[in-house]
Amino acid sequence: MGNNRRAYLTCSISSLGGFMFGYDTGVLASILEFDKWKSYFHHPGSIGVGVIVSALTAGCFVGSLIAGRIADKYSRKRTIMIACVVFSLGAAIQCGSINRAMLIVGRFISGLGVGVLSMTVPMFQSELAPPAIRGRLVSFQQWAITWGIVVSYWVDYGLHFVQSDVAWRVPIGIQIVPAAVLFVAMFFMPYSPRWLVNHGLVDEAHVVLAKLRAMGDLNAPDVVTELEEIKESVQVDGVTAVRSYTELFHVPIRRRVLIGIAVHALSQLSGINVTLYFAPTIFKQSGLTGKNASLLAQGLSGVVNCLFTIPAILWIDRWGRRKTLMFGSLGCGIAYFVQAVATGATQHKTFDENGDLYLNLPTGPSYVVIVMIYIFIASFAMSWGPVSWVYPSEIFSMHIRSKANSITTAANWLFNFGISLVSPILIKHITWGLDLIFAIIMFVSIGIVYLFFPETKNRSLEDMEIIFGGSVWAHRDKKRIAEYDASGMLGQVEKQNT
């Protein structure tokens, strides 16, 4: 870690926001299969389940849209604290729900908090992280999300044996604990040095940078150089500042905004949240008919998600963003295609008395489908999972970063909302067809990344004006970037093994 110890600590603590996001995403997946929950809420059908699940993402969409202005005005740090309070209020309402309406409202309010966190935390981490390890530190957000998911799965599994409302109220109520921890911890976290400079607090920014980069040495050359780059960037940004969201879609900013939207949209169109939200249903359809077996398989999928995020954290700044995304898409697409073939060729649909679908796959294809689900999760965890948070957080200059990130993160939640709303219906009616759709999207995404996504590894945030200042065809722009590097016009970042 060396001189970056404080940066690691700050980014690790702030990633608790990702844990809250992951926990709230995963906690309902198992609860949907609890008999006590079903009977309490009068056995909601596929449309009712879709509304309950998607209420969270609807709140996230709204929260991410309003987060930009709050983060610019009140700081990234205070915005995270506000989000913790809102999230806790929603969790308390969910925990005490006495009807579906109350549950939906609680999930929407929690979603407001999660939406703000999902936009603000990666931006906060990106602005505090050194360029050489920025990908790693922002990836903590995704790793924390996977930890939240896996913890929620196993808490649900441990309580599904309880034959009372406690089985679902306790898992929902527990999520207030990490929110309270993050709220208190943020009192001791620094403000973003870029936000401080942007508000005229240059001396305070100098102190923060010195603590983050050089163990408090105000005269360290790297600290002085970075502070001057930030001051120069903020001065330029003051002339070109974006005053309305519509300006984000004007040239030359539009290119980066559309790429940021595309990253989040393709991440959701990978189908990851279909698996996360409805894993027990999918496993049950695939042949794990026992309730314990499907919940256990879901718990293992959370572990796979968590473990396979680690390689990306360790090597994303070495692999680069482009290669990581393209190889991840290839793995996801192949897994989906094999799953679609195995299901489509052997399924025999039947329905039980509650209207639940069973595919009645033979033993061999059933195992193939389950293995492919795990391979898909592993492929996503090593690629689109972390990069979808890293890439948008680093490609925007200071004068548009908050507003642009609020738009790109809102796109994430908009697609998440749509997918979570219709997935229960699609899973029930087109089964393997949904896998085939996701496979095609993943294969197409390889070409999109190759053609349009510039490489950003080891670049400072102030370098992004040059990176995105050339052709929209990223694969043709490498020569120009190499020429700028050779001439010294781009700040070079020393690669470190940390």
Side-chain angles (χ1 to χ4, degrees):
M1 292 186 185
N3 291 338
N4 296 321
R5 196 173 302 147
R6 285 181 180 267
Y8 272 97
L9 177 63
T10 303
C11 291
S12 298
I13 291 174
S14 60
S15 65
L16 264 175
F19 180 92
M20 293 155 57
F21 164 19
Y23 189 95
D24 206 24
T25 296
V27 71
L28 199 64
S30 298
I31 289 174
L32 292 174
E33 295 296 317
F34 287 6
D35 291 334
K36 282 293 181 180
W37 184 88
K38 288 180 180 179
S39 62
Y40 192 91
F41 292 104
H42 309 294
H43 295 276
S46 57
I47 295 177
V49 168
V51 171
I52 292 169
V53 171
S54 61
L56 175 77
T57 53
C60 291
F61 174 74
V62 176
S64 60
L65 280 179
I66 65 176
R69 291 189 183 276
I70 299 173
D72 275 345
K73 184 174 182 178
Y74 298 106
S75 81
R76 286 64 163 131
K77 172 179 172 174
R78 294 190 189 114
T79 302
I80 292 171
M81 296 172 73
I82 292 169
C84 290
V85 175
V86 175
F87 176 87
S88 298
L89 174 63
I93 293 173
Q94 289 182 71
C95 183
S97 294
I98 58 174
N99 52 46
R100 285 192 211 175
M102 190 172 176
L103 179 64
I104 291 169
V105 169
R107 283 183 62 76
F108 181 84
I109 293 174
S110 285
L112 291 174
V114 171
V116 172
L117 289 169
S118 65
M119 193 288 288
T120 311
V121 169
M123 183 171 64
F124 179 70
Q125 293 170 326
S126 181
E127 292 182 352
L128 266 63
I133 56 172
R134 186 175 58 245
R136 177 181 300 176
L137 296 187
V138 180
S139 293
F140 284 177
Q141 161 83 351
Q142 177 63 21
W143 200 34
I145 290 171
T146 65
W147 270 108
I149 292 169
V150 74
V151 169
S152 71
Y153 283 174
W154 289 105
V155 168
D156 284 348
Y157 181 77
L159 286 167
H160 88 278
F161 299 100
V162 178
Q163 297 301 310
S164 71
D165 295 347
V166 170
W168 60 269
R169 292 191 189 276
V170 170
I172 291 175
I174 284 175
Q175 58 194 326
I176 297 174
V177 175
V181 172
L182 179 58
F183 178 83
V184 173
M186 288 306 297
F187 279 104
F188 306 97
M189 296 297 104
Y191 290 93
S192 161
R194 288 168 172 82
W195 182 85
L196 290 169
V197 171
N198 198 42
H199 284 73
L201 304 172
V202 177
D203 291 340
E204 289 87 338
H206 192 179
V207 172
V208 171
L209 277 174
K211 290 180 178 179
L212 290 171
R213 305 285 188 267
M215 306 295 287
D217 183 1
L218 294 172
N219 299 315
D222 290 347
V223 172
V224 175
T225 299
E226 186 172 355
L227 181 62
E228 290 303 314
E229 288 178 352
I230 294 172
K231 287 164 62 179
E232 182 180 346
S233 175
V234 168
Q235 186 176 9
V236 172
D237 291 344
V239 179
T240 59
V242 170
R243 292 172 176 81
S244 71
Y245 281 91
T246 57
E247 292 181 48
L248 294 174
F249 294 93
H250 295 169
V251 176
I253 300 171
R254 178 173 59 196
R255 178 192 176 194
R256 274 180 274 183
V257 174
L258 292 178
I259 288 175
I261 290 172
V263 172
H264 278 303
L266 289 170
S267 173
Q268 291 303 317
L269 290 171
S270 71
I272 183 61
N273 282 316
V274 176
T275 301
L276 298 181
Y277 289 146
F278 306 107
T281 301
I282 294 170
F283 283 121
K284 187 169 67 174
Q285 286 184 0
S286 301
L288 296 177
T289 54
K291 183 184 297 185
N292 290 352
S294 62
L295 292 178
L296 184 60
Q298 180 195 28
L300 292 175
S301 71
V303 173
V304 170
N305 193 15
C306 189
L307 291 178
F308 279 87
T309 304
I310 296 175
I313 293 174
L314 295 177
W315 297 307
I316 189 174
D317 291 306
R318 199 172 300 174
W319 295 344
R321 289 34 164 174
R322 282 165 55 87
K323 290 180 181 177
T324 302
L325 290 176
M326 287 189 287
F327 280 110
S329 291
L330 182 62
C332 292
I334 291 173
Y336 269 130
F337 183 76
V338 173
Q339 186 177 336
V341 171
T343 304
T346 62
Q347 70 177 11
H348 176 62
K349 293 183 182 180
T350 59
F351 296 87
D352 64 14
E353 64 277 6
N354 295 319
D356 293 335
L357 171 67
Y358 293 88
L359 300 180
N360 299 298
L361 301 180
T363 302
S366 175
Y367 287 147
V368 169
V369 168
I370 292 168
V371 170
M372 287 303 109
I373 291 173
Y374 289 139
I375 291 176
F376 158 70
I377 292 172
S379 299
F380 179 89
M382 289 191 293
S383 57
W384 286 94
V387 177
S388 64
W389 298 109
V390 173
Y391 201 75
S393 73
E394 65 186 0
I395 64 177
F396 299 112
S397 53
M398 183 69 199
H399 72 293
I400 62 171
R401 188 170 297 134
S402 289
K403 290 185 177 69
N405 271 305
S406 71
I407 291 293
T408 59
T409 307
N412 177 294
W413 292 113
L414 181 62
F415 278 88
N416 193 329
F417 171 77
I419 290 170
S420 60
L421 186 63
V422 303
S423 289
I425 302 169
L426 296 179
I427 290 171
K428 189 171 183 178
H429 290 91
I430 68 172
T431 59
W432 64 273
L434 188 58
D435 298 326
L436 189 59
I437 291 171
F438 287 141
I440 293 170
I441 292 172
M442 286 291 91
F443 290 138
V444 170
S445 71
I446 296 173
I448 294 174
V449 172
Y450 177 77
L451 293 174
F452 300 112
F453 288 26
E455 183 54 67
T456 57
K457 71 171 182 177
N458 293 324
R459 303 295 189 184
S460 74
L461 297 180
E462 285 65 43
D463 285 341
M464 296 304 164
E465 294 300 319
I466 302 299
I467 297 294
F468 287 89
S471 171
V472 295
W473 301 98
H475 67 296
R476 296 179 181 175
D477 207 31
K478 294 179 181 179
K479 183 179 179 181
R480 181 186 67 87
I481 299 298
E483 289 173 352
Y484 272 106
D485 284 343
S487 66
M489 292 181 70
L490 263 179
Q492 293 300 295
V493 178
E494 181 180 356
K495 296 180 181 180
Q496 306 172 16
N497 291 322
T498 54

